[in-house]
């Protein structure tokens, strides 16, 4: 689809000339001979770009620019002037003009400015889309009450500068919670820097956190900034802080207290403004009693404690998570998504997921890659050790007739038992059951009736 450009100039020859040039380049061109007409045109069909003359009778170009920006803040405008001055150009820029071109017009310069302006507009749109995607990436998925409480806590604590300690098992999403806190905070446009304290050797952790000066040790051929430097103004996420040595803990405590530190091998104090979010899968109170974690650091970090629940504590979120991972996978791969059938979701829901959400994501992606068909059934789900068994498919029809002989009858038998099982789990509440199994309430009513299920009151 071609871009639309609005040319605003009181000189007819200029309008005709610019229209011809721009149409030759494949653009759709609208014209206006006054500021008032330009505003009307923009309201009827918002253009991608406006070429706007400054000196026009009545409402001049600067006033028109100001009104356009008030009505359409994202609109891109290039100013044109035959009597340009530095003051005029500065004022136009302050009002939001993208560029300023002087008459007599150089057609090459006009086209270059138009291309640059439209490219910048496309980049701005792409940037907003990426921000939207990033926001979704950092959203805590789940409708379980424990997740609703966690999201509420995140929104409440995010605007503050308080240190946060996130606890939870491996794979529950502790870093996601930390990123979500950062995203909803005033620091969202500043860096989010993460470091896994358990993955870095003890002899390197201080250099990674605080940086080092040139010549501080063998191989230090230049000054290097550490994670605290890089996170200045933003958030530093210390993952697996329970594995940090007591010596490094003492230095982190000093930074929290004094907001300054020295690089390895240096003597100059470096001042930083960093919000610290720490995470661990260890019981730090036990680590304190064993002398492996500083009590004073614990109290500094544990200003606001968060606990991310294990997946087995919120099994009702598994269908939502599966749906999210499917969409995420195919957005990345650029292919048409596959659909998990109820029996496949039922199998996944009966597993305890010791690896939590991370394990579920890996299993879902493995299934998506290895399953050739569009519909993912129970047969496509790999055997999960320790999973609770599914309800048996009945050998006879619900009405007591002949034994099940066809795949359709077997599927219907399974579906009947699946619905009964889910109704029991949800205290025979039809609305809640329909929501959990992602089925319209009216459709669930029809299935209950067709299968002759006695709904208990």
């Amino acid at each position: 689809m071609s871009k639309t450009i609005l040319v605003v100039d009181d000189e007819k020859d200029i309008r005709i000339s610019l229209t011809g040039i721009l149409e030759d380049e494949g653009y759709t061109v609208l014209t206006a001979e006054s500021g008032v007409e330009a505003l009307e045109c923009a309201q009827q069909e918002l253009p991608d770009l406006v070429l706007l003359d400054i000196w026009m009778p009545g409402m001049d170009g600067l006033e028109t620019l100001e009104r356009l920006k008030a009505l359409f803040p994202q609109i891109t405008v290039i100013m044109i002037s035959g009597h340009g001055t530095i003051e005029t150009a500065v004022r136009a820029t302050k009002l939001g003009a993208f560029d300023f071109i002087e008459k007599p017009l150089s057609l090459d310069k006009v086209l270059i400015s138009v291309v640059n302006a439209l490219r910048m507009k496309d980049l701005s749109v792409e940037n907003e889309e990426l921000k939207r995607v990033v926001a979704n990436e950092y959203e805590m998925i789940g409708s379980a009450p424990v997740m609703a409480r966690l999201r509420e806590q995140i929104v409440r604590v995010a605007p503050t500068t308080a240190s946060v300690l996130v606890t939870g098992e491996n794979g529950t999403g502790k870093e996601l919670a930390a990123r979500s806190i950062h995203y909803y905070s005033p620091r969202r446009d500043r860096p989010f820097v993460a470091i896994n304290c358990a993955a870095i050797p003890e002899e390197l952790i201080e250099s990674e956190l605080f940086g080092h000066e040139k010549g501080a040790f063998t191989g230090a051929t230049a000054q290097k900034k550490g994670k605290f430097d890089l996170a200045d103004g933003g958030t530093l996420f210390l993952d697996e802080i329970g594995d940090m040595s007591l010596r490094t803990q003492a230095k982190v405590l000093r930074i929290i207290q004094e907001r300054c530190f020295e690089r390895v091998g240096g003597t100059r104090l470096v001042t930083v403004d960093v919000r610290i979010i720490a995470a661990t899968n260890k019981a730090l109170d036990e680590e304190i009693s064993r002398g492996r974690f500083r009590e004073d650091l614990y109290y500094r970090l544990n200003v606001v404690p968060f606990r991310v629940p294990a997946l087995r504590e919120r099994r009702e979120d598994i269908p939502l998570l599966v749906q999210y991972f499917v969409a995420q996978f195919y957005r990345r791969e650029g292919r048409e998504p596959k659909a998990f059938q109820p029996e496949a979701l039922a199998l996944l829901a009966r597993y305890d997921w010791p690896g939590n959400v991370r394990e579920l994501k890996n299993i879902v992606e493995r299934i998506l890659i290895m399953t050739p068909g569009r519909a993912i059934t129970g047969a496509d789900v790999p055997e999960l050790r320790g999973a609770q068994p599914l309800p048996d498919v009945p050998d006879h029809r619900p009405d007591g007739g002949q034994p099940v002989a066809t795949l359709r009858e077997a599927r219907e038998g399974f579906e009947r038992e699946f619905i009964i099982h889910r109704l029991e789990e949800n205290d025979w509440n039809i609305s809640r059951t329909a929501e959990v199994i992602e089925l319209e309430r009216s459709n669930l009513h029809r299935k209950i009736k067709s299968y002759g299920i006695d709904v208990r009151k």
Side-chain angles (χ1 to χ4, degrees):
M1 184 177 177
S2 66
K3 302 287 187 181
T4 301
I5 300 175
L6 172 60
V7 176
V8 186
D9 200 302
D10 61 320
E11 296 183 49
K12 184 178 181 181
D13 290 344
I14 296 291
R15 296 198 303 273
I16 292 173
S17 176
L18 287 174
T19 298
I21 295 163
L22 295 170
E23 285 182 342
D24 286 345
E25 295 296 319
Y27 299 113
T28 300
V29 183
L30 308 171
T31 61
E33 58 180 307
S34 68
V36 173
E37 190 177 339
L39 291 172
E40 292 174 352
C41 185
Q43 287 175 321
Q44 291 174 4
E45 186 171 350
L46 183 62
D48 297 292
L49 176 65
V50 179
L51 296 177
L52 177 59
D53 186 31
I54 288 183
W55 303 107
M56 296 186 297
M59 185 191 301
D60 67 12
L62 291 175
E63 186 180 351
T64 305
L65 170 63
E66 193 170 6
R67 294 199 183 185
L68 280 171
K69 282 291 184 179
L71 290 170
F72 314 104
Q74 304 304 319
I75 200 166
T76 305
V77 182
I78 296 174
M79 303 303 294
I80 301 171
S81 174
H83 310 281
T85 64
I86 293 176
E87 291 79 7
T88 305
V90 168
R91 188 181 169 200
T93 303
K94 286 183 176 180
L95 289 172
F98 174 81
D99 202 355
F100 189 94
I101 303 175
E102 291 186 272
K103 294 179 181 179
L105 298 175
S106 163
L107 301 184
D108 288 339
K109 184 173 181 180
V110 169
L111 289 177
I112 290 171
S113 185
V114 165
V115 168
N116 289 339
L118 291 173
R119 183 178 298 152
M120 187 64 70
K121 183 179 179 66
D122 288 341
L123 287 173
S124 178
V125 171
E126 184 180 340
N127 187 44
E128 288 302 315
E129 176 63 18
L130 286 172
K131 285 183 178 179
R132 186 188 65 78
V133 171
V134 166
N136 289 336
E137 292 290 329
Y138 298 155
E139 196 66 39
M140 306 292 289
I141 304 299
S143 59
V146 287
M147 292 304 293
R149 285 195 296 272
L150 180 60
R151 282 194 296 269
E152 183 182 334
Q153 289 175 325
I154 286 172
V155 172
R156 186 176 298 134
V157 77
T160 72
T161 59
S163 298
V164 176
L165 180 62
V166 184
T167 58
E169 297 176 9
N170 285 330
T172 52
K174 296 188 292 294
E175 182 171 345
L176 180 61
R179 288 184 179 275
S180 188
I181 293 168
H182 174 75
Y183 179 80
Y184 288 108
S185 78
R187 298 170 181 257
R188 61 182 292 177
D189 294 323
R190 302 296 297 164
F192 178 93
V193 178
I195 181 169
N196 187 328
C197 302
I200 300 172
E202 170 59 26
E203 61 271 16
L204 297 178
I205 186 69
E206 288 190 32
S207 175
E208 286 294 316
L209 285 173
F210 313 118
H212 60 251
E213 299 291 351
K214 181 179 179 180
F217 49 82
T218 303
T221 57
Q223 184 194 74
K224 175 190 173 183
K225 289 188 175 183
K227 301 299 185 184
F228 275 96
D229 265 325
L230 298 174
D232 191 22
T235 303
L236 178 62
F237 176 57
L238 301 174
D239 197 9
E240 303 302 347
I241 197 168
D243 293 285
M244 184 180 285
S245 71
L246 289 170
R247 177 182 171 183
T248 309
Q249 289 175 35
K251 293 196 173 186
V252 170
L253 177 63
R254 180 188 176 191
I255 294 177
I256 296 174
Q257 291 173 332
E258 301 178 11
R259 301 289 176 182
C260 63
F261 63 95
E262 295 170 1
R263 296 193 181 98
V264 176
T267 57
R268 184 174 63 88
L269 284 178
V270 180
T271 303
V272 290
D273 172 24
V274 174
R275 180 187 197 167
I276 293 179
I277 301 177
T280 182
N281 63 353
K282 294 185 175 182
L284 291 187
D285 51 350
E286 293 180 10
E287 295 296 298
I288 291 169
S289 64
R290 294 171 184 170
R292 294 198 290 237
F293 201 84
R294 293 182 62 109
E295 189 173 14
D296 46 4
L297 177 59
Y298 172 74
Y299 289 124
R300 283 285 185 174
L301 293 174
N302 200 37
V303 176
V304 182
F306 279 8
R307 178 182 172 274
V308 182
L311 185 54
R312 63 182 173 276
E313 298 173 37
R314 54 184 187 109
R315 294 177 190 272
E316 62 266 43
D317 287 338
I318 288 176
L320 283 175
L321 287 164
V322 170
Q323 183 181 22
Y324 175 77
F325 292 143
V326 169
Q328 190 181 53
F329 179 81
Y330 283 103
R331 186 167 60 242
R332 186 175 74 236
E333 298 294 325
R335 287 184 275 171
E336 198 170 357
K338 299 174 183 179
F340 277 73
Q341 300 303 301
E343 64 266 29
L345 292 173
L347 276 169
L348 296 177
R350 281 171 169 73
Y351 183 49
D352 273 345
W353 299 105
N356 293 293
V357 178
R358 184 186 298 143
E359 184 184 7
L360 174 63
K361 180 181 180 181
N362 292 340
I363 290 291
V364 168
E365 291 196 359
R366 183 198 307 174
I367 293 170
L368 293 172
I369 293 168
M370 300 305 296
T371 303
R374 291 283 309 282
I376 295 171
T377 66
D380 300 312
V381 176
E383 183 179 350
L384 301 169
R385 188 176 301 169
Q388 301 170 23
L390 283 168
D392 294 331
V393 176
D395 293 331
H396 291 76
R397 296 190 182 99
D399 59 6
Q402 295 298 316
V404 172
T406 67
L407 178 62
R408 178 182 176 183
E409 290 171 358
R411 185 177 291 126
E412 288 175 350
F414 170 84
E415 192 172 80
R416 182 178 188 274
E417 295 302 318
F418 175 77
I419 290 172
I420 291 173
H421 185 75
R422 283 302 193 196
L423 284 167
E424 287 174 343
E425 283 185 343
N426 291 280
D427 298 324
W428 298 89
N429 184 306
I430 293 175
S431 297
R432 193 173 4 176
T433 303
E435 185 179 350
V436 167
I437 67 175
E438 297 184 342
L439 190 68
E440 289 290 335
R441 189 173 184 275
S442 57
N443 289 342
L444 179 56
H445 265 297
R446 281 197 293 272
K447 287 182 180 293
I448 289 171
K449 185 176 179 180
S450 67
Y451 290 143
I453 298 172
D454 180 19
V455 180
R456 305 172 189 179
K457 303 296 182 183

